[in-house]
Amino acid sequence: MEEKKPEVVEESIWTAEEAIKKAPKLYGVPTGVESLDELFFTSDIQEGKPVRKPLGGIPAYSVTNITGVSDTGKSLMAEQYTVMQASRGEPVAFITVESPAHFTITGIRERAKAMGIDFESIQDRIILIDAASHGRLRENIPDLLATLAHVIKTYKVRHTVIDSITGLYEAREMQARVVVRQLFNFMKRWYQTALFISQKRSGHEELTAEAAGGYAISHIVDCSMVLSKDIILTQAQSRLYKKPIGEIVRLFRIDGCRMCGHDTRTHYMEITELGLVRIGPPLSA
C-alpha cells in the first residue's frame, strides 16, 4: 500500500489580523466571591506606557479549573458563581456529577440566601443536568454534551458549571486528558464561561493545580485556582499564620491564567458562618 503523503491543512492557518477580528471582547465576569474579582487584570497603553487595568472578574469565555482536597470550598465557589450569574439575568447550566439535582439545588438556595438574593427571583435561570443520577451521562461524554447543547439552545445559557469534572473519569484516569479536552473544546465552541470543579488527592501537594488525573486539567484549561487548608500543629505554623495551634488556615492561589493578568500571591481564604467563600489578604501581607 502506498504511503499517504503529508497534506497541508490550509484552513488551520490564520494571520493575527484575521484571528483578532474573530476574537471575543475581553471583559470580566463577576464571580460572587468577595475580593476574588479584583485579582484579575488586563493592561492598557497610556502615554506610550503599559498600565494595569482591573478586569472585574474572571475572563469572559474562559474555562476555569477550581481544585483542592475535600472541604476546601470548591463547590461553595461554584454555587456562589451560579447565583451571581442568575442574579445578573444570565442563565447557567449546572452539571451535577456528585450529588443528585434536588440535593444540589438546596445548597445553591442556601448560597443565594447568604448572598442576600431572593432565590425565587433567579430559580428559572438555573438549569441543572443531573449526571449524578444518570450514569449514562457520566459514562458517555457525547450524550452529556448533546444534553448540554440542548440546554444551551433552549435556555440561552452562557455559563456552565461542572461539579465535579473528576467524576466523569473516575476509575479511568488514563482517559482524563481526552475527557477534559472534549469538554474544553465544547465550551469554546459554544462560547461558554465555564467552571470545572476537580478533586485533588490528599497525597498531592496542597498548593499545586494537580488533581486526580494528573495534570490533565491544568494543562488544558485557561485558568486554575487552587484551594487548600492546613491545620496548625506546631509553634512555627502558629507564628507563620498568627493563629493558635488547632485552628484551620485556608489558602487560595491563582495557578495561572493565560487570558489575562492575575495576582500570583497566595492569599488567606475564609468560609464564613453563612457558608460563603471570601478571599482574604495575601499571606505576605
Side-chain angles (χ1 to χ4, degrees):
M1 181 181 295
E2 185 178 351
E3 184 177 350
K4 185 179 180 181
K5 293 182 179 180
E7 296 180 2
V8 175
V9 184
E10 292 190 16
E11 59 268 29
S12 72
I13 303 171
W14 295 61
T15 66
E17 182 182 21
E18 293 169 335
I20 202 66
K21 290 177 181 177
K22 296 274 189 178
K25 181 182 177 181
L26 180 61
Y27 63 91
V29 176
T31 61
V33 177
E34 184 179 335
S35 299
L36 175 58
D37 298 348
E38 292 80 14
L39 302 184
F40 294 90
F41 56 88
T42 183
S43 57
D44 203 357
I45 303 295
Q46 295 182 8
E47 299 180 354
K49 295 182 180 180
V51 177
R52 174 169 162 167
K53 181 180 176 182
L55 193 64
I58 61 173
Y61 312 113
S62 63
V63 177
T64 298
N65 171 40
I66 302 177
T67 188
V69 296
S70 61
D71 187 38
T72 48
K74 304 183 300 298
S75 293
L76 297 180
M77 288 183 72
E79 291 171 359
Q80 286 173 239
Y81 180 85
T82 299
V83 169
M84 172 57 73
Q85 305 323 311
S87 71
R88 297 171 61 232
E90 303 264 323
V92 185
F94 195 111
I95 302 175
T96 175
V97 183
E98 309 297 342
S99 180
H102 51 291
F103 288 99
T104 298
I105 200 61
T106 300
I108 294 174
R109 182 180 61 186
E110 289 302 304
R111 238 50 64 209
K113 289 194 290 185
M115 294 167 71
I117 294 170
D118 177 22
F119 179 73
E120 290 188 359
S121 70
I122 66 170
Q123 60 184 352
D124 62 337
R125 291 190 288 275
I126 301 174
I127 301 90
L128 292 101
I129 298 176
D130 192 347
S133 302
H134 298 271
R136 176 179 169 187
L137 295 178
R138 295 194 308 275
E139 303 298 326
N140 190 310
I141 299 302
D143 282 357
L144 177 63
L145 295 183
T147 304
L148 178 55
H150 171 74
V151 166
I152 290 172
K153 288 185 290 186
T154 303
Y155 297 95
K156 305 296 187 291
V157 163
R158 298 180 62 183
H159 306 268
T160 296
V161 175
I162 304 179
D163 188 9
S164 70
I165 195 171
T166 318
L168 298 177
Y169 52 77
E170 58 187 357
R172 50 193 179 109
E173 289 188 11
M174 292 296 289
Q175 298 179 4
R177 194 170 182 84
V178 173
V179 170
V180 174
R181 175 62 71 183
Q182 285 179 292
L183 291 163
F184 177 84
N185 288 343
F186 178 94
M187 301 303 163
K188 293 300 183 182
R189 188 163 61 251
W190 287 90
Y191 285 83
Q192 296 294 292
T193 305
L195 298 186
F196 292 173
I197 310 303
S198 65
Q199 180 73 26
K200 289 172 66 69
R201 296 193 196 91
S202 57
H204 287 150
E205 292 183 35
E206 286 287 307
L207 283 169
T208 69
E210 184 178 7
Y215 289 102
I217 301 177
S218 59
H219 281 190
I220 294 173
V221 297
D222 297 308
C223 177
S224 286
M225 302 180 192
V226 184
L227 283 59
S228 72
K229 63 179 180 180
D230 200 2
I231 302 176
I232 299 176
L233 297 175
T234 67
Q235 290 293 343
Q237 289 175 309
S238 180
R239 288 192 296 271
L240 172 65
Y241 296 126
K242 299 180 178 62
K243 289 181 178 288
I245 290 175
E247 288 282 309
I248 291 179
V249 174
R250 299 183 185 276
L251 301 174
F252 169 88
R253 185 167 66 87
I254 301 171
D255 196 58
C257 183
R258 58 175 167 239
M259 290 184 68
C260 69
H262 65 90
D263 190 308
T264 59
R265 297 171 294 180
T266 298
H267 287 250
Y268 287 105
M269 193 189 86
E270 177 188 1
I271 298 178
T272 70
E273 61 182 8
L274 294 177
L276 295 179
V277 171
R278 180 165 60 199
I279 307 301
L283 192 59
S284 56

